[in-house]
Amino acid sequence: MEIRTVAVMGAGAVGSYFIWGLHEKLGDRLWVVADGERKARLEQEGIVVNGSLIKPCVRTPEEARGADLLVVAVKYGALKTSLEEIAQVTDRHTVVMSVLNGVDSEEIVGERIGMEHMVYSVMKIASERRENQVVFDPAATLGVLFGEADRQKTERIQAIAALLEGSQVHYIVCEDIIREIWCKYMLNIGNNLPQAMVGCGFGAYDKSEYLDAIRRNLRKEVEEVARAKGIDLSDQSIPAARNSGFSLKARFSTLQDLDAGRHTEIDMFSGVIMRMGKELGIATPYNEFTYYMIKSLEEKNDGLFE
């Protein structure tokens, strides 16, 4: 098996990392999937990553059908509305990686196109959007972690590794990718959400025992839900637990969204934990409060309280 063509759906912070990392190696065999006004804008303006302009090959979902690998990097809130486009791109042989932050995107996509297409993955990157460009530290970026749910090093896993080898995309093939995904999820909930409610940089966790207590209790609830699903998150030496090179001033994705007046991915974070907690009979009061608080901040940004 050889992966020769790659389609990327979503040109935000994470999607841009793949576009930046693969465009020199693949050239016109790397496609950004878009149509309508968005396609025209990408073709005209390109994307700017770390100060460099990239003019990608942009294809509609129909034109991108049959890509060997499809990287899904849309926002969680847009995932369900993107399912038909994902299905249009996916042919019988297409391998699909959903690099969203949560723990259920593979199942959401797999339900539409078939789980046989899905390779599990998670991203470790500290990136942000500054005006019209995406910025990150390439050297400090761990990159994409991926593997099979059954822990087998299959032919397609080896093909993805061969594709990424020699490119600028950093990668790790993981034996227990499910645990890696849940570990990153726990860290996202603990690190993203308290600072988003307070509006402060990452360094505040070291300065405030109260903010750190919120972080620890949010993480504890994720650990309890994961444990009930047979996933042990106690080992913090695994790759997904590593620091991705962010500074003490770092404002993570949830706070970046609120700063920009956008809706956040709180449904993917605390919303999913609340749902799973109810299904398993596990109380998640810290995540419930956080969910309502960030939803209220979204309403404030929307002008509801004016």
Side-chain angles (χ1 to χ4, degrees), residues 8-72:
V8 179
M9 187 174 293
V14 173
S16 293
Y17 177 71
F18 284 91
I19 297 165
W20 166 85
L22 290 171
H23 80 280
E24 287 188 0
K25 181 174 182 177
L26 295 181
D28 61 7
R29 292 186 288 116
L30 173 66
W31 312 325
V32 177
V33 181
D35 56 14
E37 181 183 339
R38 187 164 170 272
K39 181 177 187 291
R41 186 176 68 252
L42 281 168
E43 289 176 330
Q44 180 177 352
E45 300 176 4
I47 61 172
V48 182
V49 181
N50 290 341
S52 297
L53 174 64
I54 300 171
K55 286 291 191 77
C57 176
V58 187
R59 293 194 173 192
T60 66
E62 296 87 351
E63 292 169 341
R65 182 168 182 81
D68 296 326
L69 174 66
L70 170 61
V71 177
V72 178

Side-chain angles (χ1 to χ4, degrees), residues 170 186 237:
H170 295 176
M186 177 182 68
S237 66

Side-chain angles (χ1 to χ4, degrees), residues 136-155:
F136 58 87
D137 181 352
T141 298
L142 196 61
V144 61
L145 287 61
F146 61 94
E148 300 284 12
D150 62 5
R151 306 190 181 194
Q152 299 299 309
K153 193 171 182 180
T154 58
E155 185 180 5

Side-chain angles (χ1 to χ4, degrees), residues 1-3 68-69 93-95 155-160 162:
M1 181 179 181
E2 181 182 8
I3 294 175
D68 296 326
L69 174 66
H93 72 286
T94 303
V95 177
E155 185 180 5
R156 64 182 185 173
I157 295 298
Q158 296 176 61
I160 296 171

Side-chain angles (χ1 to χ4, degrees), residues 10-210:
V14 173
S16 293
Y17 177 71
F18 284 91
I19 297 165
W20 166 85
L22 290 171
H23 80 280
E24 287 188 0
K25 181 174 182 177
L26 295 181
D28 61 7
R29 292 186 288 116
L30 173 66
W31 312 325
V32 177
V33 181
D35 56 14
E37 181 183 339
R38 187 164 170 272
K39 181 177 187 291
R41 186 176 68 252
L42 281 168
E43 289 176 330
Q44 180 177 352
E45 300 176 4
I47 61 172
V48 182
V49 181
N50 290 341
S52 297
L53 174 64
I54 300 171
K55 286 291 191 77
C57 176
V58 187
R59 293 194 173 192
T60 66
E62 296 87 351
E63 292 169 341
R65 182 168 182 81
D68 296 326
L69 174 66
L70 170 61
V71 177
V72 178
V74 299
K75 282 281 191 177
Y76 187 80
L79 181 60
K80 291 188 177 179
T81 58
S82 300
L83 290 176
E84 289 309 310
E85 292 183 348
I86 293 170
Q88 286 178 312
V89 175
T90 305
D91 207 343
R92 292 179 59 184
H93 72 286
T94 303
V95 177
V96 180
M97 287 202 311
S98 174
V99 292
L100 279 70
N101 274 323
V103 293
D104 64 346
S105 67
E106 282 85 3
E107 283 71 27
I108 292 172
V109 176
E111 185 177 356
R112 174 63 183 85
I113 65 172
M115 286 302 298
E116 67 274 11
H117 291 281
M118 305 305 300
V119 164
Y120 283 76
S121 62
V122 63
M123 282 295 301
K124 287 288 288 184
I125 182 172
S127 62
E128 59 179 307
R129 182 174 287 280
R130 298 178 188 168
E131 297 179 348
N132 69 332
Q133 71 169 305
V134 173
V135 179
F136 58 87
D137 181 352
T141 298
L142 196 61
V144 61
L145 287 61
F146 61 94
E148 300 284 12
D150 62 5
R151 306 190 181 194
Q152 299 299 309
K153 193 171 182 180
T154 58
E155 185 180 5
R156 64 182 185 173
I157 295 298
Q158 296 176 61
I160 296 171
L163 165 76
L164 301 180
E165 191 67 31
S167 76
Q168 296 186 86
V169 175
H170 295 176
Y171 73 94
I172 298 176
V173 176
C174 299
E175 180 182 359
D176 191 350
I177 187 59
I178 302 300
R179 184 176 63 165
E180 300 282 356
I181 289 172
W182 271 84
C183 180
K184 169 73 184 305
Y185 186 59
M186 177 182 68
L187 294 177
N188 267 331
I189 286 178
N191 291 339
N192 272 19
L193 305 186
Q195 69 152 204
M197 290 188 285
V198 177
C200 59
F202 177 69
Y205 293 118
D206 291 332
K207 295 180 180 293
S208 170
E209 63 179 292
Y210 308 110

